[in-house]
């Protein structure tokens, strides 16, 4: 499994599922053209771009390029990398007919094609941790969320909403999505300091 520093941006949930089997990274969907209307998600992507960088991997059809170009126009070029999959004609297994242009999307690509696209994009990745590497920083867990009242409590939803607003994240994030983003935005000490204020 490839560990990727950048946040990976894909079009939809099936692309995310496909890449999740190959890479260890934060993967965010644009929900197709939904990214054009979602100002909160775009704000989150800009912040992630500045802190860790973005890698965009969309389908090779015209819709994929429209989404890619929109992101390119919203994110400064020094923070964004682009991985391009080849034009392969066919249809994904879950579909009954091919796409409008007849090309396979990210979800239908072979493992080899996806890995090659990622490597060509020049992402910061490694197949394994180098010998003698430092112990990774402590991550925030669901148990931490519970201890802090962000889940399983009477006011958990309100407290999560407060934290989401404080971090400038999209208001409709699930607790699971929030947990993933928090681990990318802050250390455990910074997370706990939010509750000491």
């Amino acid at each position: 499994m490839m560990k990727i520093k950048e946040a990976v941006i894909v079009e939809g949930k099936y692309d995310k599922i496909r890449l999740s089997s190959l890479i260890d990274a934060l993967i965010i969907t644009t929900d197709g053209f939904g990214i054009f209307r979602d100002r909160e998600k775009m704000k989150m992507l800009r912040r992630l771009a500045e802190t860790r960088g973005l890698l965009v991997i969309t389908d090779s059809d015209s819709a994929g390029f429209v989404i890619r170009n929109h992101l390119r126009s919203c994110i400064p070029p020094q923070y964004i990398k682009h991985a391009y999959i080849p034009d392969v004609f066919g249809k994904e297994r879950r579909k009954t007919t091919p796409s409008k242009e007849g090309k396979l999307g990210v979800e239908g690509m072979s493992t080899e094609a996806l890995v090659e696209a990622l490597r060509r994009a020049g992402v910061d990745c490694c197949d394994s941790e180098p010998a003698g590497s430092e112990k990774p920083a402590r991550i925030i867990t669901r148990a931490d969320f519970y201890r802090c009242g962000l889940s399983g409590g009477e006011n958990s939803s309100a407290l999560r909403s407060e934290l989401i607003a404080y971090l400038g994240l999209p208001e409709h994030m699930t607790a699971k999505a929030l947990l993933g983003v928090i681990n990318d935005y802050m250390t455990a000490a910074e997370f706990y300091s939010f509750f000491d204020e």
Side-chain angles (χ1 to χ4, degrees), residues 1 15 45 47 56-57 72 83 86 92 100 135 143 147 160 165 169 174 178 190 192:
M1 182 165 283
D15 299 332
L45 292 180
R47 184 165 176 189
V56 177
I57 181 166
R72 183 179 278 133
E92 281 85 5
K100 184 177 179 183
K135 182 180 176 184
R147 275 193 293 279
R160 279 196 312 275
L169 298 171
T174 64
L178 177 60
E190 291 168 335
Y192 279 108

Side-chain angles (χ1 to χ4, degrees), residues 41-196:
K41 185 174 274 188
M42 187 54 72
K43 183 178 176 183
M44 179 183 73
L45 292 180
R46 284 189 186 104
R47 184 165 176 189
L48 282 171
E50 291 172 6
T51 58
R52 65 187 295 168
L54 298 182
L55 169 70
V56 177
I57 181 166
T58 61
D59 296 351
S60 59
D61 59 7
S62 58
F65 276 88
V66 169
I67 293 167
R68 183 185 296 276
N69 290 331
H70 176 69
L71 293 170
R72 183 179 278 133
S73 71
C74 296
I75 307 290
Q78 68 268 29
Y79 300 128
I80 192 168
K81 295 177 182 177
H82 294 273
Y84 295 92
I85 61 172
D87 282 341
V88 177
F89 292 88
K91 72 171 189 67
E92 281 85 5
R93 286 186 211 167
R94 70 177 180 86
K95 296 181 179 177
T96 56
T97 60
S99 67
K100 184 177 179 183
E101 295 179 29
K103 298 176 183 178
L104 291 177
V106 171
E107 71 173 281
M109 282 291 116
S110 69
T111 298
E112 296 78 21
L114 289 171
V115 169
E116 181 60 23
L118 294 170
R119 290 198 188 278
R120 276 182 295 166
V123 295
D124 293 335
C125 66
C126 57
D127 294 322
S128 61
E129 292 296 321
S133 64
E134 293 182 19
K135 182 180 176 184
R138 181 187 175 288
I139 63 167
I140 308 303
T141 65
R142 290 188 304 197
D144 294 313
F145 263 34
Y146 181 79
R147 275 193 293 279
C148 294
L150 292 169
S151 65
E154 195 174 302
N155 296 322
S156 295
S157 180
L159 192 55
R160 279 196 312 275
S161 294
E162 188 179 327
L163 180 59
I164 285 169
Y166 173 77
L167 294 173
L169 298 171
E171 66 178 311
H172 298 293
M173 290 188 83
T174 64
K176 183 177 179 181
L178 177 60
L179 180 62
V181 171
I182 281 177
N183 277 304
D184 292 318
Y185 273 23
M186 57 179 61
T187 65
E190 291 168 335
F191 171 76
Y192 279 108
S193 72
F194 172 79
F195 299 95
D196 295 334

